[in-house]
Every structure is written in C-alpha cells, then in structure tokens.
Amino acid sequence: MFIAIKTEDGRNKGKINFYCNVLDVTRQGFYHYLKTKDLPWKYQALADAMIDICTGDECNDTYGRIHMHQALQLKQPDGVKIPGERTVYRVMEEIGISHI
C-alpha cells in the first residue's frame, strides 16, 4: 500500500524518491501499483462461479479443491476459463471457502 499526499488537482505532492525509500519499494514498483490498482481481479468470474456452486446445495460447502475443480468442469459456467486445481485452491482460499 502506498501513501501519497495529493493536491486538489490530483497531482502527487512531494518527492517520489522519498516515498519509495520510506516504504522500501522501487520506483518501478510504485508506478506499477499506480497503473494496476484500479483493475478488477482477474479471477472474479471464477470466484463468482465457485460461490454459486457452494450456495447451490447444502453439501457443497465441504468441497475441496478437487471436487470444486470437477464441479467447475461439469457445470462449465459461461465466460469462465477453468484453470488448474492449484489455481482453484488459491482462489478458494482468497474468497474464504477452503475445505478444512
């Protein structure tokens, strides 16, 4: 997370080098963050499809990554590219539906 003081016209006030040194990041990392901070999450459609699968049936809340991957392959949600099991696992952890 970056801290910057902005003026009323939206420009950064202060020296970028100072902010980068304080936060221990590179200038390249700072500008990459500014460029990508408003982009949507690339797995949002996949996460929505997983939530739909979990809320579709009472027993689905115990799905692990393998069963979730199989359910995604069976249902083939529109506009969702189904990734590998490891990515399914990461997305499940991110949205908080991991099987314990």
Side-chain angles (χ1 to χ4, degrees):
M1 178 181 288
F2 292 101
I3 302 169
I5 301 169
K6 291 199 175 218
T7 59
E8 290 179 7
D9 60 356
R11 296 182 334 179
N12 287 336
K13 180 180 177 184
K15 299 198 182 262
I16 300 297
N17 283 339
F18 172 74
Y19 294 131
C20 291
N21 286 336
V22 169
L23 297 172
D24 195 29
V25 295
T26 62
R27 285 179 74 99
Q28 180 181 12
F30 176 75
Y31 286 115
H32 177 72
Y33 169 76
L34 290 179
K35 184 173 83 172
T36 60
K37 71 178 182 172
D38 295 327
L39 293 177
W41 187 34
K42 69 179 186 178
Y43 294 119
Q44 188 60 49
L46 179 65
D48 293 339
M50 287 180 181
I51 291 171
D52 289 341
I53 289 172
C54 284
T55 58
D57 187 17
E58 296 174 357
C59 299
N60 291 350
D61 62 347
T62 60
Y63 274 20
R65 66 181 166 93
I66 297 171
H67 287 152
M68 182 62 74
H69 189 259
Q70 291 171 349
L72 286 167
Q73 288 179 334
L74 287 174
K75 296 205 178 201
Q76 292 290 323
D78 293 334
V80 176
K81 181 179 177 268
I82 300 170
E85 286 180 19
R86 181 68 181 156
T87 304
V88 169
Y89 174 72
R90 288 183 190 139
V91 172
M92 286 176 69
E93 277 192 337
E94 183 73 27
I95 60 177
I97 58 171
S98 294
H99 175 68
I100 297 175

